[in-house]
Amino acid sequence: MNLKLIFIYLGLLSTELLIAQNQITELSLKQVIEMARMESPDAQTARHSFRSAYWNYKYYRANYLPFLSLTSDPNLNRAINKITMGDGSVKFVEQNLLNTDLTLNLSQNLFWTGGSFFLETSAQRMDLFSEHKYSWQTSPIMIGYRQSLFGYNSLKWDRRIEPVRYQEAKKSYVETLELVSANAIHKFFALATAQSDYDIASFNYANADTLYRYAQGRYNIGTITENEMLQLELNRLTEETNRMNARIEMDNCMQELRSYLGIHEDRDLRVLVSPQVPDFSVNLNEALVLAYENSPDIQTMERRKLESESAVAKARANAGLKADIYLRFGLTQTADKLPEAYRNLLDQQYVSIGISLPILDWGRGKGQVRVARSNRDLVYTQVEQSRTDFELNVRKLVKQFNLQTQRVRIAARTDETAQRRSEVARKLYLLGKSTILDLNASISEKDSARRNYISALYNYWSLYYTLRSMTLYDFERNTMLTEDYHLLIE
């Protein structure tokens, strides 16, 4: 088989590949990232998690706003009850009465004291069915205050912790989307590698088949040895096996990408790898400042410290003196008719103080305080270590990313050179000016260079989006990464 027939065979193979490409969906890296950020399971989970955090934050904020409620507790009592009479004697008396009431209450929590102030108005009616009588009791206005003295003030600590938790949730959502992008990049380049391996295997098989047929002719005229012809036949069989294995791996990677992107149709995908990468470097000090300002990990560390301090305050409050105070002042009156129950109002006061002081608890309270302190110290130590590891990780990522652009250039140049060398080695072998060992070596170097090039591109984009997730900053466009949180809630 001469060179003309070889090029015709390769041209037919390229035509078949072009026809196949027209029947599949082509996706760029940008398209895959956008689809993953919208449809991937990780992105949807992140949206649900943020909504949950948002409504938890709304619930926290509502605790500091006025609360208006309307309550009623009617009850019917028809029984024989033991009643103490006016002279001190006790009798069993048949009762048949209905109590109905209505109370309107306006309350306001006070975070600086942990107490609650309330204002209410109420009316109550009692019907005595046995005597065909009824009466009213009203409290047109009642002002009160309840407070736990020396106790744990959850309102104060929530005011310090919950805003940090909500900021952590917002930043975690943006971070998760960047990690979704990084995961999509991984699946994109996994398919790109599998497709490249399949294209390489197909090309190598075509070449191996052509060379084997060509070698049969040369063997018949005695210009090559039987050993060399058998080596070419072995190469052909090996490349055919490699092509089948590469096809299976490509189908598996394609299925994983379809599943992650939420594509339910059983259609073929082909990813388009762009050789272009943005040419810029990241300033290390700027990246560290952005990471400390924007990373949700920093918010998590701050929240953990506040929660440990809150646990110590709660243990101290539970271990010592406890006192509850309840104050209520207002006006009241009773009458047989409702309008008269609002006339000639009488004042009423109610004060209650409850005190609890542990005398002998066998060190239980003290032990709880010390456990809380130990846990707090442990959290502080862990946070400091996490902060150190966080900074080291940012430094490592920045240095690796700044070097990766040059690595991509070197890998691209190596790939181009290896492709040219393989072509030259193939032509030399066809002309009888090279050995089969040189040809096999050039093919191996060509395949390895292509895989290394795709791997270098993958490492570049993976490092970039990981760095974005830690700083929540787009270094290419010099803008902060954020999302429309109101649109998420709607």
Side-chain angles (χ1 to χ4, degrees):
M1 185 180 291
N2 56 26
L3 289 175
K4 184 177 180 181
L5 291 177
I6 294 173
F7 289 127
I8 291 175
Y9 178 82
L10 294 177
L12 291 174
L13 178 63
S14 300
T15 302
E16 290 176 358
L17 291 175
L18 289 175
I19 293 174
Q21 286 181 355
N22 292 331
Q23 298 174 349
I24 64 178
T25 301
E26 296 181 340
L27 293 174
S28 66
L29 179 60
K30 182 178 179 181
Q31 290 174 318
V32 168
I33 290 175
E34 290 176 350
M35 293 174 66
R37 291 167 71 98
M38 291 298 297
E39 302 297 336
S40 69
D42 294 339
Q44 295 183 35
T45 300
R47 285 192 284 271
H48 293 313
S49 297
F50 175 76
R51 292 188 185 104
S52 176
Y54 171 79
W55 290 113
N56 282 332
Y57 181 71
K58 291 287 290 184
Y59 173 79
Y60 143 76
R61 291 291 302 271
N63 288 331
Y64 301 85
L65 300 176
F67 179 74
L68 183 64
S69 64
L70 182 67
T71 60
S72 178
D73 185 24
N75 61 87
L76 174 65
N77 186 2
R78 183 177 182 183
I80 298 177
N81 298 315
K82 183 171 62 175
I83 302 298
T84 302
M85 309 305 291
D87 58 359
S89 61
V90 177
K91 292 185 178 181
F92 289 99
V93 178
E94 180 182 359
Q95 291 184 314
N96 187 3
L97 57 89
L98 172 66
N99 279 318
T100 54
D101 67 301
L102 194 64
T103 301
L104 185 64
N105 180 281
L106 177 65
S107 61
Q108 172 68 59
N109 292 325
L110 307 177
F111 74 89
W112 55 86
T113 63
S116 176
F117 173 83
F118 64 89
L119 176 68
E120 67 180 29
T121 180
S122 65
Q124 179 178 355
R125 169 172 167 157
M126 181 167 55
D127 290 85
L128 297 175
F129 295 119
S130 57
E131 300 180 9
H132 304 286
K133 294 181 180 179
Y134 65 89
S135 60
W136 293 87
Q137 187 267 328
T138 63
S139 297
I141 184 170
M142 191 74 64
I143 300 174
Y145 182 75
R146 57 176 66 90
Q147 170 77 52
S148 177
L149 303 177
F150 315 113
Y152 173 71
N153 189 348
S154 61
L155 294 173
K156 183 186 73 174
W157 284 105
D158 286 347
R159 191 177 177 87
R160 297 179 62 184
I161 295 174
E162 293 303 325
V164 177
R165 191 191 304 276
Y166 183 57
Q167 289 299 320
E168 176 188 354
K170 292 200 293 186
K171 293 179 179 181
S172 293
Y173 175 69
V174 181
E175 178 195 48
T176 301
L177 290 185
E178 297 306 310
L179 294 177
V180 165
S181 300
N183 198 12
I185 289 169
H186 172 74
K187 297 183 182 300
F188 175 92
F189 278 98
L191 179 55
T193 301
Q195 288 178 171
S196 176
D197 289 344
Y198 180 72
D199 293 341
I200 290 171
S202 299
F203 182 79
N204 290 346
Y205 172 72
N207 276 341
D209 183 65
T210 302
L211 291 174
Y212 173 67
R213 297 177 185 275
Y214 178 72
Q216 284 179 320
R218 294 180 64 184
Y219 174 73
N220 291 332
I221 62 176
T223 58
I224 63 171
T225 65
E226 183 180 4
N227 180 61
E228 187 171 352
M229 189 191 71
L230 292 175
Q231 178 65 51
L232 288 171
E233 183 180 6
L234 182 62
N235 288 351
R236 176 181 176 275
L237 294 173
T238 301
E239 294 300 340
E240 186 175 8
T241 302
N242 291 340
R243 185 178 67 167
M244 289 188 293
N245 293 336
R247 178 67 193 187
I248 293 173
E249 179 64 20
M250 184 177 69
D251 290 340
N252 291 337
C253 293
M254 192 183 302
Q255 178 59 38
E256 289 186 9
L257 183 60
R258 277 200 303 258
S259 176
Y260 196 68
L261 298 183
I263 300 175
H264 302 292
E265 299 86 355
D266 189 14
R267 54 178 171 167
D268 288 343
L269 303 178
R270 185 170 185 85
V271 293
L272 304 178
V273 180
S274 172
Q276 304 296 327
V277 295
D279 187 9
F280 65 92
S281 60
V282 176
N283 182 273
L284 177 58
N285 292 330
E286 180 186 5
L288 286 172
V289 171
L290 290 169
Y292 277 110
E293 288 180 354
N294 302 329
S295 175
D297 292 342
I298 302 300
Q299 298 289 323
T300 301
M301 297 176 196
E302 182 64 23
R303 174 180 57 80
R304 290 182 61 196
K305 291 168 66 175
L306 289 173
E307 287 176 343
S308 67
E309 293 287 356
S310 173
V312 172
K314 187 173 184 178
R316 286 175 176 169
N318 293 335
L321 173 66
K322 298 187 227 13
D324 297 322
I325 184 172
Y326 180 82
L327 308 175
R328 187 177 65 194
F329 304 93
L331 301 173
T332 186
Q333 185 57 274
T334 62
D336 293 336
K337 296 182 180 180
L338 182 60
E340 296 178 359
Y342 284 94
R343 299 173 185 171
N344 302 319
L345 298 173
L346 303 176
D347 61 325
Q348 62 171 331
Q349 303 87 28
Y350 180 84
V351 178
S352 173
I353 299 178
I355 298 176
S356 174
L357 177 64
I359 303 298
L360 184 62
D361 65 352
W362 306 103
R364 185 176 66 176
K366 185 177 181 180
Q368 289 179 341
V369 173
R370 292 196 173 183
V371 168
R373 286 177 178 173
S374 297
N375 290 336
R376 177 196 60 188
D377 296 340
L378 175 61
V379 167
Y380 269 71
T381 301
Q382 292 174 340
V383 165
E384 289 304 315
Q385 183 61 48
S386 298
R387 188 182 294 270
T388 301
D389 295 341
F390 176 81
E391 182 173 335
L392 290 176
N393 197 16
V394 173
R395 290 180 180 273
K396 181 179 69 174
L397 281 173
V398 171
K399 292 177 181 179
Q400 289 179 342
F401 175 77
N402 289 338
L403 291 175
Q404 193 61 30
T405 303
Q406 184 63 18
R407 288 175 178 172
V408 171
R409 293 197 189 100
I410 295 173
R413 181 60 179 168
T414 303
D415 178 57
E416 181 182 354
T417 303
Q419 297 289 335
R420 291 173 57 191
R421 180 183 182 278
S422 176
E423 183 64 23
V424 171
R426 186 178 65 84
K427 291 179 180 179
L428 289 175
Y429 181 79
L430 291 173
L431 296 173
K433 296 181 179 181
S434 178
T435 66
I436 187 63
L437 294 178
D438 291 336
L439 178 61
N440 288 340
S442 68
I443 293 175
S444 178
E445 291 171 357
K446 169 183 69 71
D447 298 346
S448 177
R450 175 50 58 91
R451 294 187 184 98
N452 290 338
Y453 176 53
I454 295 178
S455 177
L457 288 172
Y458 162 68
N459 289 333
Y460 177 90
W461 291 111
S462 179
L463 287 169
Y464 179 53
Y465 275 90
T466 303
L467 189 59
R468 280 167 54 120
S469 72
M470 297 189 70
T471 59
L472 302 190
Y473 191 79
D474 186 344
F475 293 95
E476 183 182 2
R477 297 178 178 82
N478 293 321
T479 57
M480 298 293 297
L481 298 175
T482 185
E483 294 292 328
D484 189 346
Y485 303 109
H486 297 291
L487 183 62
L488 279 174
I489 303 304
E490 294 176 358

